[in-house]
Amino acid sequence: MNIKFVNECLTNIIWHENSSYQVDGLLQQSNQYYKFDIRYLNDFPEDKKGKLINSKSQADKVLFEDDENWVLVDTQELIKYMKEHSLKEIKLEELIKSIEWNIILPKK
């Protein structure tokens, strides 16, 4: 789990075990309360990294990251986009351009 994101960006934190999300809390800059999937990216064949997202996920937002930023995307919007376009995978850059709800936060 990405504890650094939690420490840098969330307040009023509640941890969860055995759930499709690992933490809920308030985003510091927006004061909105969400459930977050903060799992690290997994390694996949052909040197790809990513996350498997269950269509029944209870997480409100999914955390991705690059070297400089935390990237939050709306879970239901991500799932809907993937289903509508019959996709099994998508590059993060394409996802950010294709869905409405995303937040990019610079890492500290």
Side-chain angles (χ1 to χ4, degrees):
M1 288 186 291
N2 206 317
I3 307 298
K4 188 174 179 187
F5 165 77
V6 173
N7 291 336
E8 287 184 13
C9 301
L10 300 181
T11 61
N12 295 22
I13 301 160
I14 300 173
W15 292 98
H16 298 272
E17 292 183 25
N18 304 318
S19 179
S20 58
Y21 59 97
Q22 294 73 44
V23 66
D24 52 41
L26 291 170
L27 274 176
Q28 291 177 358
Q29 69 283 1
S30 71
N31 291 325
Q32 293 188 358
Y33 196 80
Y34 296 114
K35 299 172 188 170
F36 296 92
D37 175 345
I38 60 167
R39 294 171 296 138
Y40 284 114
L41 298 176
N42 296 320
D43 291 324
F44 288 93
E46 300 176 21
D47 293 328
K48 294 180 182 178
K49 289 191 174 283
K51 287 187 180 185
L52 297 174
I53 308 295
N54 187 322
S55 63
K56 296 177 183 173
S57 175
Q58 295 175 330
D60 298 313
K61 309 301 175 202
V62 179
L63 176 68
F64 296 94
E65 67 177 299
D66 59 26
D67 292 337
E68 299 174 3
N69 299 298
W70 305 112
V71 180
L72 291 169
V73 298
D74 184 81
T75 307
Q76 293 308 310
E77 194 174 353
L78 167 61
I79 292 167
K80 180 180 174 188
Y81 183 83
M82 299 292 284
K83 284 182 179 180
E84 286 177 354
H85 295 86
S86 301
L87 298 172
K88 298 241 184 229
E89 62 182 56
I90 186 172
K91 291 185 178 183
L92 183 57
E93 298 80 18
E94 180 184 342
L95 181 62
I96 291 169
K97 293 176 187 175
S98 302
I99 64 173
E100 291 183 30
W101 199 103
N102 61 69
I103 295 179
I104 300 173
L105 304 168
K107 291 181 177 179
K108 296 178 183 175

